[in-house]
């Protein structure tokens, strides 16, 4: 490491602290303003040319909105259609009838586990928000238990989606590590499932049961009304259009997930040049899958006359406008940190560490992800640095476990420079502290338990 590396690391840390201070202390700036101010200041302090600072801010915001914003907007539309047609209420009632309050987090964990197999974290959360809000609102109305019903139901969902996103192919992080290390998809997937289960249990139902009574989180009334209308609103909608059967409703809600799962299965069983795989990749793209899901919902749920449907879809985007802008700001901050070469400073620091390859892969990925706000940067950097070890076929390196370790490291402490942090914070109406106690701590538990499972699995004979 040289003095420039140290300066970059100190600047990255200071920028995050400054961001938090601007939001929670006396200025109490809107998160979008704070993110943009800190992004520009960080670029200038690290010596980026003026035009590069502007390009990083606009490019990062645009890239994040393109990847996440469209999916969030389409998810809001799908959620509105499901809520207005009574599907959300029917599914929430079915879950509450079959699961006691104590068993409810486990039921939500199971749903999120299945949804999380094909879906990215942000996409899965958007798809499940109507169900989370619907179940939580009914728990809240029953006035059973203390603390936040939304945290009680939401934390298991966040844990399951995060674990699947970071540990199990066909998610992009694990696949990137597998491709770079030139190891087996099947072995990594099997290891990933084994490691994900205890991580999800501890970070989800167990931690959720601990933290929910200590928080009073409640989303914005407009979002609750959109995703989980009260009994009067549901009855009014039902009077106009009879609600669909629960089977059709569940199929409609899961349509995007099924399309993405189709793509995931296609990557395993079809040749890379296959025309069917290209079709599966197209319809399984998150944006296309969500678009098909919305169109399918309009056709089969018959939520009303065309004018009413158009108005409902327009209204559905209004409550999430703030969320979308803040996510864009998070993308700008992330891009500035990446373009400032903070990741290179982390890699240089890692060369001075003499650790086990599995632990080193986790540590490098974790440091890169935390410092740059990008799990992808963490995975690419760590896998690229350790690829020579896997290529050399070192006896001490289990390549599938190394890929899993790197994926686990990328999950650690999702915070203010991650778009996912802002999606959870704004969707659930959390303060910075409440968001830290939920998504940041949940993903850290998943990451650390995942690493522990990697070390335990490394004691067994390798799968490949």
């Amino acid at each position: 490491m040289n003095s420039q590396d140290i300066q970059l690391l100190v600047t990255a840390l200071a920028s995050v602290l400054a961001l938090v201070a601007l939001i929670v202390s006396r200025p109490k700036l809107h998160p979008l303003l704070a993110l943009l101010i800190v992004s520009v200041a960080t670029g200038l302090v690290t010596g980026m040319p003026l035009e590069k600072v502007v390009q990083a801010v606009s490019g990062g915001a645009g890239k994040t909105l393109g990847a996440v914003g469209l999916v969030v907007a389409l998810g809001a539309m799908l959620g509105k259609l499901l809520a207005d047609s009574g599907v959300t209420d029917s599914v929430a009632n079915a879950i509450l009838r079959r699961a006691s309050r104590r068993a409810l987090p486990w039921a939500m964990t199971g749903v999120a586990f299945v949804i999380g197999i094909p879906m990215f974290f942000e996409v899965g959360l958007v798809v499940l928000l109507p169900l989370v809000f619907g179940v939580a609102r009914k728990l809240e109305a029953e006035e059973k238990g203390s603390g936040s019903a939304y945290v009680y139901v939401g934390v298991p969902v966040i844990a399951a989606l995060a674990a699947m996103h970071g540990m199990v192919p066909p998610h992009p992080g694990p696949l990137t590590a597998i491709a770079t290390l030139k190891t087996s998809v099947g072995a990594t997937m099997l290891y990933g499932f084994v490691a994900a289960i205890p991580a999800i249990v501890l970070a989800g139902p167990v931690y959720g049961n601990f933290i929910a009574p200590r928080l009073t989180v409640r989303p914005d009334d407009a979002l609750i009304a959109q995703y989980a209308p009260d009994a009067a609103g549901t009855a009014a909608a039902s009077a106009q259009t009879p609600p669909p059967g629960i089977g059709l409703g569940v199929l409609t809600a899961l349509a995007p997930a099924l399309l993405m799962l189709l793509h995931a299965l296609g990557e395993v069983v079809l040749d890379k040049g296959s025309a069917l795989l290209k079709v599966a990749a197209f319809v399984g793209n998150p944006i296309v899958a969500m678009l098909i899901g919305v169109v399918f919902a309009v056709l089969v749920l018959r939520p009303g006359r065309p004018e009413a449907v158009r108005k409902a879809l327009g209204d559905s985007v209004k409550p999430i406008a703030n969320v979308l802008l803040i996510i864009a700001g998070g993308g700008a901050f992330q891009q500035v940190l990446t373009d400032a070469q903070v990741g290179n400073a982390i890699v240089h620091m890692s060369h001075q560490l003499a650790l086990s390859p599995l632990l080193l892969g986790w540590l490098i990925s974790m440091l890169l992800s935390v410092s740059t706000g990008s799990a992808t940067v963490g995975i690419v950097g760590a896998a690229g640095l350790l690829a020579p070890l896997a290529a050399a076929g070192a006896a001490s390196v289990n390549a599938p476990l190394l890929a899993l370790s790197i994926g686990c490291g990328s999950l650690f402490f999702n915070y203010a420079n991650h778009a996912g942090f802002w999606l959870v914070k704004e969707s659930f109406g959390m303060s910075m502290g409440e968001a830290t106690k939920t998504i940041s701590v949940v993903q850290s538990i998943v990451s650390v338990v995942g690493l522990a499972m990697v070390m335990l699995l490394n004691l067994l004979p390798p799968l490949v």
Side-chain angles (χ1 to χ4, degrees), residues 393-398:
S396 60
V397 179
N398 183 323

Side-chain angles (χ1 to χ4, degrees), residues 71 105 226 270 283 300:
V71 172
Q226 173 169 309
L270 297 175
V283 299
V300 303

Side-chain angles (χ1 to χ4, degrees), residues 138-446:
K138 290 183 178 296
L139 278 183
E140 190 178 47
E142 293 174 1
E143 297 182 349
K144 293 181 180 178
S146 59
S148 171
Y150 296 88
V151 172
Y152 186 70
V153 175
V155 160
V157 169
I158 293 171
L161 292 175
M164 301 306 288
H165 184 84
M167 296 186 188
V168 180
H171 291 286
L175 283 179
T176 300
I178 289 166
T180 304
L181 299 173
K182 295 180 173 58
T183 188
S184 165
V185 173
T188 307
M189 180 177 286
L190 182 58
Y191 280 137
F193 276 120
V194 173
I197 292 173
I200 292 170
V201 168
L202 291 175
V206 174
Y207 180 69
N209 192 58
F210 166 79
I211 195 62
R214 293 163 172 80
L215 298 176
T216 57
V217 169
R218 193 174 193 276
D220 183 80
D221 287 338
L223 270 180
I224 295 177
Q226 173 169 309
Y227 288 133
D230 58 21
T234 302
S238 299
Q240 297 176 5
T241 305
I246 192 168
L248 180 59
V250 170
L251 174 63
T252 306
L254 295 183
L258 294 175
L259 291 173
M260 294 182 206
L261 182 59
L262 178 67
H263 177 209
L265 293 175
E267 288 188 320
V268 175
V269 302
L270 297 175
D271 295 332
K272 288 187 177 181
S274 167
L276 283 177
L277 180 57
K278 292 180 180 179
V279 173
F282 174 73
V283 299
N285 178 278
I287 295 174
V288 176
M290 291 300 299
L291 176 60
I292 293 174
V294 172
V295 174
F296 182 69
V298 171
L299 294 176
V300 303
L301 299 182
R302 293 174 294 172
R305 297 178 63 84
E307 297 82 2
V309 173
R310 183 175 64 184
K311 183 178 185 304
L313 294 180
D315 291 342
S316 71
V317 183
K318 294 177 183 177
I320 65 164
N322 192 56
V323 177
L324 294 176
L325 290 173
I326 293 172
I327 289 173
F333 186 33
Q334 170 191 318
Q335 192 64 48
V336 168
L337 290 173
T338 301
D339 290 356
Q341 305 299 318
V342 172
N344 288 348
I346 296 289
V347 171
H348 295 160
M349 183 178 69
S350 69
H351 285 297
Q352 303 178 14
L353 302 176
L355 299 171
S356 136
L358 296 179
L359 181 57
L360 187 61
W362 182 91
L363 184 62
I364 296 170
S365 180
M366 180 272 288
L367 291 173
L368 286 170
S369 178
V370 170
S371 61
T372 65
S374 170
T376 302
V377 171
I379 290 171
V380 170
L385 186 64
L386 298 178
L389 283 177
S396 60
V397 179
N398 183 323
L401 280 180
L402 180 56
L404 176 59
S405 176
I406 290 170
C408 291
S410 71
L411 295 173
F412 188 84
F413 205 70
N414 184 309
Y415 197 53
N417 53 350
H418 286 72
F421 174 90
W422 294 103
L423 177 60
V424 172
K425 177 187 178 299
E426 297 302 318
S427 296
F428 284 85
M430 297 175 175
S431 67
M432 291 292 290
E434 290 167 340
T436 303
K437 293 174 184 176
T438 50
I439 181 172
S440 300
V441 173
V442 165
Q443 293 209 187
S444 296
I445 294 172
V446 169

